[in-house]
Amino acid sequence: MKYILVTGGVISGIGKGIIASSIGTILKSCGLRVTAIKIDPYINIDAGTFSPYEHGEVFVLNDGGEVDLDLGNYERFLDINLYKDNNITTGKIYQHVINKERHGDYLGKTVQVVPHITDAVQEWVMNQAKVPVDDDRKEPQICLGGTIGDIEGMPFVEAFRQFQFKAKRENFCNIHVSLVPQPNATGEQKTKPTQNSVRALRGLGLSPDLIVCRSAKPIEMAVKEKISMFCHVEPEQVIFVHDVSSTYRVPILLEEQGIIKYFKQRLNLPIDDQPSDLLMKWKKMADRYERLLKVCSIALVGKYTKLSDCYASVFKALEHSALAINHKLDLMYIDSTELERSTEAENSVKYHQAWQKLCKADGILVPGGFGIRGTEGKLQAISWARKKKKPFLGVCLGMQLAVVEFARNCLNWKDANSTEFDPDTKNPVV
């Protein structure tokens, strides 16, 4: 088994998940079987109780596991089915160790972060890496995993520091994803945050084999040489990933910089230097995505519209279906509370702007959600879609509200409601 650890530096949300997924896609295109593990340093057992503003949408796996949305990226990019144990959290590890301690498995020893927590992490990774995730049910050959260097993540960093020796150098590779900012005042790309980030990682006992530099614009050669010199790696070990029109372009960017050849040598992989047809298909898809001319605009009327990750699965489903019919998706996020009469009284500009957006849309989608806040605005949008014969899709709560709207306005059951909002309603249509 080969292990690839992806660490992040400078800021969170740097793109570790997309980088890991893209590397997995490239290796899969070379004919290797790939699995993925996501490590989150929070003490929650899983992502099921998070507010969408904390970590974006919760991704639900086939076995019912509620996990971080990065696992959704892994499944989409790699075409695999993961399990709840592919998402490790601090809470899960501590619960596992405490249960063993209560059971008497440690034979009265003092249970500590090192070695008990770190050993549990390594054991978990080695066991989960062997679980088949492809349709052919064969054991994976490569396991991708990601973690970060926050204070809560230290036991995991220490676990992997030990693990690199247990797995042996030819089976373990560390990729560090870092930010290269470009302040507007000077327009110069700065390498200092990356230098400091790599130095901090080395201080914790992990030395990156590849440094993936994230930036807004393509990085200049001089910057690459500077990072190579100050971070003690060869220039070909410094990879650039600038902001691109679509995440599907990232595997192509990485492949163009010779990443297949590097992995072949570094991990002694039984593969050709050239990618297979799978990556060519991927390239064609990315090219097609960028050449689309027809636009389809969909209004997403929800409550958590300030962060697009809150509705990641809805966005991905719409994006994939738009691509299938050769259209570019223009997804307009509308806060449902801004469609309500109360907003008109408080801030009429916001109210009219929200309605203007809704009127321009080719179709309306009302996604899931919880609680009474914003439901009035959603009902208004549903009513408008029905009267104007606009294509409408209600998912979960959106579908419930469509039933409520029809009962109230077409059947004249004025108090029709869902028992979720009014347990005593005379007409509980849901």
Side-chain angles (χ1 to χ4, degrees):
M1 176 69 70
K2 309 287 182 185
Y3 298 92
I4 297 173
L5 173 69
V6 181
T7 52
V10 187
I11 58 168
S12 59
I14 186 87
K16 292 187 300 299
I18 297 292
I19 298 292
S21 306
S22 301
I23 287 165
T25 302
I26 292 168
L27 294 172
K28 195 160 182 178
S29 81
C30 296
L32 297 164
R33 293 187 300 279
V34 183
T35 185
I37 292 173
K38 173 80 197 310
I39 298 167
D40 287 304
Y42 43 71
I43 296 174
N44 305 57
I45 302 296
D46 60 30
T49 54
F50 281 148
S51 149
Y53 281 142
E54 288 282 322
H55 283 262
E57 188 184 52
V58 172
F59 187 77
V60 183
L61 300 167
N62 281 7
D63 65 356
E66 296 172 318
V67 294
D68 188 271
L69 55 79
D70 270 339
L71 276 90
N73 277 326
Y74 295 155
E75 286 204 348
R76 279 187 291 270
F77 271 67
L78 300 171
D79 193 18
I80 54 178
N81 282 316
L82 298 171
Y83 302 92
K84 61 173 178 278
D85 284 349
N86 285 75
N87 192 194
I88 304 176
T89 69
T90 300
K92 276 185 188 174
I93 291 288
Y94 274 78
Q95 190 179 52
H96 172 71
V97 170
I98 289 165
N99 288 344
K100 280 178 79 172
E101 186 273 330
R102 292 288 83 191
H103 194 250
D105 291 1
Y106 297 117
L107 305 174
K109 284 197 175 75
T110 306
V111 180
Q112 294 173 296
V113 172
V114 180
H116 301 103
I117 296 290
T118 52
D119 283 356
V121 172
Q122 293 173 59
E123 230 170 87
W124 193 305
V125 168
M126 285 191 293
N127 292 338
Q128 199 57 32
K130 291 177 188 156
V131 176
V133 289
D134 281 308
D135 293 338
D136 62 9
R137 311 310 296 154
K138 285 184 182 167
E139 192 177 299
Q141 296 158 289
I142 292 195
C143 176
L144 285 153
T147 184
I148 45 166
D150 285 343
I151 191 162
E152 318 99 306
M154 285 306 130
F156 295 108
V157 176
E158 174 57 23
F160 283 107
R161 185 195 67 75
Q162 297 171 18
F163 187 69
Q164 64 188 333
F165 302 112
K166 193 182 280 186
K168 303 274 190 301
R169 180 173 159 75
E170 66 274 14
N171 300 324
F172 183 88
C173 177
N174 177 207
I175 296 167
H176 190 60
V177 187
S178 181
L179 179 72
V180 176
Q182 193 168 358
N184 286 336
T186 58
E188 190 186 353
Q189 290 169 331
K190 298 292 182 186
T191 64
K192 192 71 80 207
T194 299
Q195 291 176 44
N196 289 339
S197 180
V198 171
R199 191 180 301 125
L201 191 67
R202 284 220 171 92
L204 298 167
L206 284 169
S207 198
D209 296 286
L210 278 180
I211 300 171
V212 177
C213 299
R214 289 280 291 106
S215 62
K217 296 195 172 94
I219 292 176
E220 294 140 24
M221 201 61 204
V223 176
K224 181 174 188 163
E225 284 161 2
K226 194 172 177 185
I227 290 170
S228 158
M229 182 169 67
F230 286 110
C231 295
H232 198 65
V233 291
E234 295 285 338
E236 58 267 24
Q237 288 170 267
V238 182
I239 305 281
F240 299 151
V241 179
H242 56 271
D243 292 351
V244 282
S245 57
S246 118
T247 51
Y248 306 121
R249 180 58 65 194
V250 178
I252 317 296
L253 265 182
L254 294 173
E255 191 269 324
E256 283 167 354
Q257 294 177 66
I259 207 164
I260 295 178
K261 192 178 170 192
Y262 178 78
F263 279 129
K264 185 185 175 181
Q265 291 167 348
R266 175 69 182 77
L267 294 173
N268 195 16
L269 297 172
I271 54 172
D272 295 328
D273 282 354
Q274 293 304 314
S276 67
D277 296 343
L278 180 69
L279 213 60
M280 294 315 292
K281 278 186 192 164
W282 196 274
K283 190 175 187 319
K284 279 180 189 159
M285 179 180 74
D287 289 344
R288 200 167 107 232
Y289 184 91
E290 282 165 15
R291 284 201 297 263
L292 297 172
L293 297 173
K294 292 182 194 159
V295 177
C296 179
S297 59
I298 303 292
L300 188 147
V301 183
K303 293 202 301 193
Y304 313 108
T305 51
K306 289 182 182 69
L307 183 68
S308 60
D309 271 358
C310 295
Y311 298 110
S313 63
V314 175
F315 171 64
K316 291 291 176 192
L318 289 170
E319 186 184 42
H320 292 173
S321 47
L323 186 59
I325 56 163
N326 295 318
H327 277 64
K328 207 181 207 81
L329 172 69
D330 171 26
L331 189 60
M332 301 183 288
Y333 293 94
I334 299 174
D335 188 333
S336 59
T337 54
E338 291 176 8
L339 299 171
E340 295 174 2
R341 287 273 174 223
S342 55
T343 304
E344 188 181 18
E346 290 164 22
N347 189 335
S348 60
V349 175
K350 239 183 197 176
Y351 174 80
H352 289 296
Q353 279 172 345
W355 272 102
Q356 201 175 5
K357 260 191 193 175
L358 192 75
C359 297
K360 281 196 303 197
D362 297 317
I364 294 166
L365 193 149
V366 178
F370 297 95
I372 193 98
R373 184 179 70 82
T375 50
E376 203 47 53
K378 288 181 182 182
L379 285 165
Q380 296 278 356
I382 293 164
S383 184
W384 191 84
R386 181 176 56 75
K387 287 172 189 164
K388 298 290 178 190
K389 296 194 167 24
K390 284 271 179 189
F392 165 81
L393 176 63
V395 180
C396 191
L397 178 70
M399 195 281 277
Q400 290 190 39
L401 291 175
V403 175
V404 170
E405 191 279 332
F406 184 85
R408 284 183 188 177
N409 298 329
C410 295
L411 305 178
N412 280 326
W413 300 351
K414 291 301 171 201
D415 69 336
N417 215 332
S418 163
T419 52
E420 186 182 333
F421 305 123
D422 182 3
D424 307 320
T425 175
K426 296 273 194 311
N427 289 300
V429 286
V430 181

